[in-house]
Each structure stands twice: as C-alpha cells, then as structure tokens.
C-alpha cells in the first residue's frame, strides 16, 4: 500500500510502504474510513521539530477492524471503531484515574495517514459502535479521535461550568472544538480570539458569544473590558506558543483555571508572576479515551457535528497539498479520503 512519509521541512510524500501486520497479540489492524492532518503535524512540517529520519505520519483515525491479535477481546473484525492518538491499556492506575494519556504502557499512534493502520493496545484504546455509522457520520467520528477530544479536555481541564465565562485562545481546529465543548458544557459566555472571518463564523456556529480580534496587551485589555475588569474563570489555551500562553495567563481571573492543550514551543513561566496570579493550570496530552464513549454518542445522536471543522477534503494521494493548505492557512483542517 501507500502511506504518508515526512522526510523534512515541507517534504511530504505519499509512497509505497509495508502493509501493517500484527506485531503483538494486543494489536489490531483497521481499514481507515477516513484520516486527516493535525495541527501538530505542522510543527515538524515547518521544521520546528527536529526530524532525524523519515517519519510515518498520522495519528487521527476511525475505521473498520480487519484483524486482531490473539489477546484482543473487546473489539472484533467487522466492527467500526474510533481510537485515541494516545494508546493505552485502560487498566493501569493512571488510566483508572482518567489520565489514559499517561498510561504506564503509553504509546503514540503513528502511520494513520494511510489506508490501513496497526493499533497497539487495541483493547484499551479502541471503542466500537453498536452499528456501522452512515457515511455522513464519518467526518464527525473522525473528529472525535483527536481534535474534539482535545478541545473537550481543554474545557474539562479549565473547569468550564454551567453559566461560566470562557476565553478560547487559538482559532485553529482545536480552539474551535474548545468553543464547541464549552458550549456543550453550558458556558454562559464564550469569547473566541480570532482574526479570520471563516474561523469566526464557525466559532459562532459552535457557540461563541463574542469575538476578539486583538492580540497581545490589546487583546488582554479588550477581554478585561468585556468582563468588567474581572477576566475569565476558564481559559482554554489551544496553541502552545509563548505569546498564546501569555494571553491565557493575562485574561484568566484570580482563582480561575487555564486548560492548556497546545503542544508547547518556547513557553516559559515567571515563577514570581505565577505565584501572585493565583491561577490553576492543567493540561498536557488529552486523555481522549476517557471521553470517547460520551463524545461518540453525542455525534451519533446528532447533538454535535464536529466534522464541520474539516473545510478541505482531498483524496489521500493529495496529502502534500493538504499540508500546504493548512500551513498557508488556506484550510482549517484537511480530511483525507481513503479510496484504496
């Protein structure tokens, strides 16, 4: 088969790769129904993460099980499944505490930008649906695998509550899913920070009540103005840059909580300042597995449509164009059709 390989900055190729095989008895092989490009894939694509050797790309996935290892008991061939980008046994102490993304056996999913993929730790990672979803459900189920699960974790970590005030820093796919998640959790006011009209429109559709285009000190001042000088009790940091984290800290009220899910690049903290801001912080890789059953049900019931975040759909053979479109901000998030 062919799969997606990143050779270096800006160098993505769709080329011949070995078909995945069962390596461990806890593995499963799935035929992907669709896959996509993640915002975090852009870090190595832009040369901001070091690449020592060619990388098999892709960690967001849903599809049909075609083969399982001898120890797999919770899923079987023919079932439609969704899994997390963090692979977990779902039984270790950290998993049972709800942090499957810190599983004692944790691995990270790779090589899912391809027609078939191997999923290690299948019993703890994959969740099956009772029936095969309709084709129009596939984009929404795919979104659950990472981008929605990560946005949901940001809202959960930021302690978004019924009637509360929320600021979402970042208008990429995760930030937009953070808006949707805050709305689903009953936030009374959701302020999305965005400069792009197409993303603002989708943020409004997902539940944003206010849009702030300013950045830096002007952005902080604008949000303080909107909140009568108080700030927000819940802030979702969905970028991972020094400037975005400063933004989050600057708009969070004393006693408030920052949920940070952007992979950090160059982020640092002033301990003295952090001491006196009196803000809670929780983040890191999202324990998507904790949320999968609930989020999958919300999709299947039609209460949410997270797949709307895919504003560009391409055949997987055009994956290089999908990376370019996201890198150049011509697309929020690219879904790749798997036709093989």
């Amino acid at each position: 088969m062919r799969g997606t390989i990143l050779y270096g900055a800006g160098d993505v190729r769709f080329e011949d790769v070995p078909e995945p095989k069962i390596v461990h008895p806890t593995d499963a092989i799935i035929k992907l129904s669709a896959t996509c490009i993640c915002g975090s894939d852009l870090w190595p694509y832009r040369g901001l993460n070091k690449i020592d050797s060619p990388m098999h790309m892709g960690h967001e996935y849903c599809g049909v099980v075609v083969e399982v290892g001898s120890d797999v008991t919770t899923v079987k061939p023919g079932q439609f499944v969704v899994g997390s980008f963090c692979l977990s046994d779902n039984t270790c102490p950290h998993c049972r505490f709800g942090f499957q993304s810190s599983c004692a056996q944790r691995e990270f999913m790779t090589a899912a930008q391809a027609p078939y993929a191997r999923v290690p730790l299948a019993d703890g990672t994959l969740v099956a649906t009772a029936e095969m979803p309709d084709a129009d459900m596939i984009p929404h189920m795919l979104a659950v695998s990472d981008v929605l699960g990560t946005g949901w974790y940001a809202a959960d970590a930021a302690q978004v509550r019924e009637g509360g005030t929320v600021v979402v820093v970042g208008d990429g796919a995760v930030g937009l899913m953070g808006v949707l998640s805050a709305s689903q959790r009953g936030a009374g006011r959701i302020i999305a920070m965005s400069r792009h009209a197409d993303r603002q429109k989708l943020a409004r559709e997902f539940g944003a009540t206010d849009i702030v285009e300013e950045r830096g000190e002007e952005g902080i001042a604008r949000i303080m103005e909107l909140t009568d000088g108080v700030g927000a009790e819940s802030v979702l940091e969905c970028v991972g840059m020094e400037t975005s984290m400063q933004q989050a800290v600057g708009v969070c009220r004393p006693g408030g909580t920052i949920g940070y899910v952007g992979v950090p690049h160059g982020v640092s903290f002033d301990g003295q300042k952090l001491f006196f801001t009196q803000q809670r912080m929780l983040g890191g890789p999202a324990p998507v597995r904790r949320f999968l059953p609930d989020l999958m049900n919300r999709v299947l019931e039609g209460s949410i449509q997270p797949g709307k975040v895919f504003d560009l759909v391409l055949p997987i053979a055009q994956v290089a164009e999908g990376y370019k479109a996201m890198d150049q901000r011509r697309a929020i998030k690219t879904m790749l059709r798997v036709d093989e």
Side-chain angles (χ1 to χ4, degrees):
M1 71 173 192
R2 292 192 296 166
T4 304
I5 308 291
L6 179 66
Y7 281 88
D11 186 4
V12 172
R13 309 177 200 175
F14 190 62
E15 61 185 25
D16 289 339
V17 296
E19 291 192 12
K21 305 292 184 184
I22 298 292
V23 177
H24 303 293
T26 51
D27 292 347
I29 305 297
I30 65 170
K31 183 181 189 301
L32 278 83
S33 298
T35 183
C36 59
I37 300 169
C38 182
S40 64
D41 293 333
L42 296 180
W43 293 112
Y45 179 78
R46 290 169 172 163
L48 297 173
N49 285 1
K50 186 178 179 182
I51 304 172
D52 294 319
S53 60
M55 296 173 59
H56 290 256
M57 301 300 290
H59 56 261
E60 298 172 84
Y61 58 100
C62 65
V64 179
V65 178
V66 295
E67 185 181 359
V68 297
S70 57
D71 289 351
V72 176
T73 61
T74 63
V75 297
K76 59 186 180 181
Q79 287 185 309
F80 182 89
V81 294
V82 181
S84 168
F85 67 94
C86 276
L87 308 164
S88 60
D89 60 24
N90 210 30
T91 59
C92 83
H94 303 316
C95 288
R96 294 198 301 271
F97 195 58
F99 281 82
Q100 291 91 337
S101 46
S102 286
C103 176
Q105 297 191 67
R106 180 184 67 185
E107 298 180 44
F108 290 97
M109 185 65 182
T110 60
Q113 287 169 8
Y116 292 86
R118 180 177 73 94
V119 183
L121 301 174
D123 271 343
T125 298
L126 298 174
V127 176
T129 57
E131 300 176 353
M132 192 65 61
D134 294 336
D136 60 359
M137 282 288 181
I138 297 302
H140 308 303
M141 297 301 276
L142 177 61
V144 172
S145 173
D146 180 353
V147 67
L148 175 59
T150 297
W152 194 272
Y153 174 55
D156 182 81
Q159 299 183 332
V160 173
R161 64 174 180 84
E162 190 86 25
T165 298
V166 179
V167 170
V168 180
V169 181
D171 65 355
V174 171
L176 292 168
M177 292 296 97
V179 171
L180 175 62
S181 300
S183 178
Q184 285 285 300
R185 295 170 69 92
R189 190 175 195 184
I190 303 170
I191 304 170
M193 304 195 74
S194 173
R195 290 175 170 173
H196 303 88
D198 56 339
R199 301 174 188 225
Q200 293 173 4
K201 180 180 178 182
L202 196 51
R204 293 277 192 189
E205 185 174 346
F206 284 154
T209 57
D210 301 87
I211 302 291
V212 169
E213 295 191 358
E214 294 87 349
R215 289 288 182 271
E217 293 301 322
E218 290 184 359
I220 293 171
R222 177 60 180 148
I223 286 174
M224 297 305 286
E225 178 185 355
L226 289 173
T227 59
D228 297 324
V230 175
E233 63 197 63
S234 298
V235 181
L236 283 57
E237 196 286 307
C238 303
V239 182
M241 301 293 286
E242 176 78 9
T243 52
S244 59
M245 184 60 79
Q246 290 176 352
Q247 193 86 47
V249 171
V251 303
C252 185
R253 68 177 298 173
T257 307
I258 300 169
Y260 58 98
V261 295
V263 180
H265 286 75
V267 176
S268 60
F269 295 96
D270 180 332
Q272 188 83 357
K273 184 176 180 180
L274 198 63
F275 182 81
F276 284 103
T277 55
Q278 294 189 279
Q279 297 162 342
R280 301 179 185 89
M281 300 186 74
L282 176 63
V288 174
R289 179 60 181 83
R290 188 205 312 174
F291 310 118
L292 274 181
D294 175 42
L295 297 181
M296 290 168 67
N297 283 337
R298 289 174 191 252
V299 165
L300 293 171
E301 292 168 356
S303 61
I304 55 173
Q305 294 182 307
K308 289 183 177 182
V309 77
F310 297 114
D311 58 341
L312 178 63
V313 180
L314 296 172
I316 193 169
Q318 296 180 28
V319 62
E321 171 57 25
Y323 273 83
K324 286 180 182 178
M326 289 178 61
D327 179 45
Q328 297 168 3
R329 299 185 75 89
R330 290 185 282 111
I332 300 171
K333 191 167 179 69
T334 303
M335 188 175 89
L336 303 168
R337 298 197 313 269
V338 180
D339 301 321
E340 295 187 25

